[in-house]
Amino acid sequence: MADGMGKSPPAAEVSGLASPPLAEAPPEIATARNKGLQGEASDVAGGSGAIDADKELEDRFEGLNLRGEEETDLDFSDEIEGLIGEVRWIALFRVHTSKPFSHAAMFKQMRNAWSTAQDVTFKTKGENLFLAQFHCLGDWNRVMDGGPWLFRGAALVMTEYDGFTNVEDYKLDKIHVWTRIQGIPEGLMKKKELAEKVARKVGDPPITVIVNEGIINASKYLRARVHVVLSKPLVRLVPITLKERKVYPVQYEKLLDFCNFCGMIGHIVTECGDGVHAKEECQWGEWLKWGSMFFPANANATEEEYYGSESTDEEKKDGHHMYIAGQKFAENAKSERGRRKA
């Protein structure tokens, strides 16, 4: 079983022993060591062989009679909170796609898209599971607050990693998205608490709403950052009853590929099932994207202007990390657009 630092004890054990003890080891130990070496080689290649080998090792160790140092646990339980507190700027992520892809190509594209001030260290943890460590706070804020980031049209699903929890315990089933809920009454946009209740109809916490407490909103919409569950269809409207029932349309900024038939992010309608769906059955559409024909932005705007419009003039002047992240996303979006046309 892998320890807290992600190393495989059997593989480390093999590299530290001379040939005679290996030859004299009981058959079950020798077999386990050989399996460990195979798993280590697969991990270097970036495949899923290491994970399979680790599972085989765990199964083989189940029935072993422990001896000497094997009988006593190395116990860090009293120190774990402090150890986790020392870990910083590590993200766990996957690409939201069922299609095969090159890990090396993905790492290269994300380095270019993020354009970090310091280097980024990547590590493969599974067939579609990765770690990325950033080396300064500015890079960490830009990447984690920006996005959603794309690789070949698919979203990177990212979360902060504590350095010790089993990576398989993370769900990685949500991405954060900025939304614009159109036409919300002024009274619901003057108080943060009420605005958050509205935003929760669109996505999960943590939620950020743009309100000036006690002051009317100058915009025609409530802007909120929510976490969209990728296994659920996009919310198209928010029904609210005040004096009477009314529905308020939802639009999404930087909306990724989604299906007009099932409403979920990650594929398009021609990739859903057999890809053949009658037009009247497709009840999601381009109107969900902010800047569509129903709620148009400037049709002649560049990507930089489009995504820069989300920031205030003061944030642009000061180089706020959210503005910088939007510009990085614009570069990523242009790159993706060019690749699809090619």
Side-chain angles (χ1 to χ4, degrees):
M1 183 181 295
D3 63 17
M5 300 303 291
K7 296 178 181 177
S8 175
E13 200 173 276
V14 172
S15 63
L17 293 176
S19 297
L22 275 174
E24 297 172 6
E28 65 271 20
I29 296 292
T31 303
R33 283 170 174 157
N34 290 335
K35 291 289 185 181
L37 283 174
Q38 293 169 9
E40 188 176 45
S42 299
D43 192 43
V44 171
S48 59
I51 299 172
D52 296 336
D54 284 347
K55 184 65 172 67
E56 289 183 34
L57 287 174
E58 290 178 16
D59 294 342
R60 288 181 179 276
F61 287 160
E62 280 293 323
L64 294 183
N65 295 320
L66 304 182
R67 301 176 184 178
E69 288 294 329
E70 297 173 341
E71 299 180 275
T72 307
D73 286 359
L74 187 57
D75 189 357
F76 290 105
S77 57
D78 292 337
E79 307 170 53
I80 188 63
E81 289 188 14
L83 292 171
I84 289 175
E86 294 173 3
V87 175
R88 61 182 186 178
W89 308 330
I90 301 179
L92 178 68
F93 71 96
R94 68 176 179 87
V95 182
H96 187 54
T97 182
S98 58
K99 301 173 184 176
F101 60 90
S102 162
H103 295 178
M106 187 268 292
F107 294 157
K108 180 179 180 180
Q109 180 168 324
M110 298 326 299
R111 277 196 173 96
N112 292 334
W114 292 337
S115 188
T116 53
Q118 307 292 335
D119 193 19
V120 182
T121 304
F122 289 101
K123 182 174 183 178
T124 300
K125 297 296 291 182
E127 189 172 350
N128 187 4
L129 195 60
F130 313 92
L131 294 177
Q133 183 173 25
F134 302 89
H135 299 285
C136 72
L137 179 60
D139 288 342
W140 172 256
N141 285 340
R142 279 194 300 274
V143 173
M144 299 306 287
D145 290 341
W149 302 102
L150 302 177
F151 174 66
R152 296 180 180 172
L156 263 62
V157 189
M158 307 182 73
T159 190
E160 184 173 1
Y161 178 58
D162 67 15
F164 293 92
T165 303
N166 187 337
V167 294
E168 300 294 338
D169 292 343
Y170 286 79
K171 286 187 176 181
L172 292 179
D173 61 348
K174 302 175 185 179
I175 59 171
H176 68 254
V177 179
W178 281 99
T179 65
R180 303 189 180 205
I181 308 168
Q182 301 286 340
I184 296 297
E186 297 300 332
L188 295 178
M189 293 195 288
K190 287 170 60 178
K191 293 185 67 176
K192 181 181 178 183
E193 180 183 357
L194 294 176
E196 287 179 344
K197 284 185 177 180
V198 175
R200 283 194 192 98
K201 293 288 287 182
V202 180
D204 288 357
I207 289 172
T208 303
V209 290
I210 306 301
V211 297
N212 292 319
E213 197 74 24
I215 302 175
I216 62 172
N217 193 332
S219 302
K220 297 178 181 179
Y221 50 81
L222 170 63
R223 188 164 183 251
R225 184 193 196 220
V226 301
H227 283 73
V228 172
V229 180
L230 294 168
S231 60
K232 295 181 180 179
L234 291 165
V235 173
R236 296 162 291 182
L237 54 88
V238 174
I240 297 176
T241 300
L242 293 168
K243 294 181 178 180
E244 59 182 5
R245 184 179 186 273
K246 190 173 180 180
V247 297
Y248 300 90
V250 180
Q251 289 197 298
Y252 298 83
E253 300 175 8
K254 306 177 186 176
L255 185 56
L256 309 174
D257 284 349
F258 68 96
C259 178
N260 292 358
F261 176 71
C262 72
M264 289 194 285
I265 291 174
H267 62 272
I268 57 177
V269 64
T270 53
E271 299 170 338
C272 190
D274 63 6
V276 180
H277 304 285
K279 188 175 181 179
E280 59 271 18
E281 295 177 334
C282 298
Q283 299 191 1
W284 285 258
E286 292 298 302
W287 46 271
L288 287 168
K289 296 181 179 181
W290 176 69
S292 71
M293 62 179 290
F294 293 97
F295 300 96
N298 181 357
N300 298 317
T302 64
E303 278 88 346
E304 289 82 2
E305 292 169 338
Y306 180 87
Y307 296 119
S309 66
E310 300 164 10
S311 301
T312 65
D313 290 340
E314 185 177 347
E315 288 173 336
K316 294 176 185 177
K317 183 178 179 182
D318 294 342
H320 189 273
H321 70 265
M322 286 296 292
Y323 171 66
I324 299 298
Q327 296 303 290
K328 298 298 183 188
F329 183 89
E331 294 174 10
N332 186 213
K334 283 201 296 186
S335 173
E336 286 288 311
R337 184 185 63 184
R339 185 189 64 77
R340 292 185 191 183
K341 286 182 178 180

